[in-house]
Amino acid sequence: IVSNTTHGSFIDYTDILAENEVTKLTIDGLEVEFPTLGSIEPDRMETIMNSFLLDFFNKYLKAEPSRLIDADTLPAEVTLLRK
């Protein structure tokens, strides 16, 4: 879990979405607005996402030791749910 994010935060082009702060939808005839991105800085989110993706692939595809997934200390914004 990454604090201060929405579903839209987990993409590669957050800088573009940051320009469109609100998404508008019509649900059952009512116009609804919700934030496209969370309040996390787009560059920070990209760094977190890319770091964890690289660590995941290195661990599970290359059988290299994990630097993040198995770490005791994580970035402040990240909560890992482990079994």
Side-chain angles (χ1 to χ4, degrees):
I1 300 171
V2 182
S3 301
N4 302 313
T5 62
T6 66
H7 183 75
S9 300
F10 292 85
I11 58 172
D12 289 334
Y13 51 94
T14 53
D15 289 331
I16 295 169
L17 282 182
E19 296 173 13
N20 302 309
E21 297 177 11
V22 176
T23 299
K24 295 179 182 181
L25 294 174
T26 302
I27 300 174
D28 293 331
L30 297 172
E31 189 173 276
V32 180
E33 294 182 356
F34 61 93
T36 304
L37 299 174
S39 59
I40 192 169
E41 289 293 321
D43 290 338
R44 179 69 181 141
M45 182 59 200
E46 187 175 341
T47 298
I48 291 170
M49 186 171 56
N50 289 342
S51 297
F52 273 90
L53 283 170
L54 181 62
D55 195 54
F56 176 86
F57 286 117
N58 285 341
K59 177 178 177 162
Y60 293 105
L61 297 180
K62 294 183 175 182
E64 294 178 359
S66 168
R67 295 180 307 121
L68 288 171
I69 295 171
D70 297 330
D72 292 330
T73 304
L74 297 168
E77 304 91 343
V78 177
T79 302
L80 258 170
L81 303 176
R82 297 181 174 124
K83 289 185 177 183

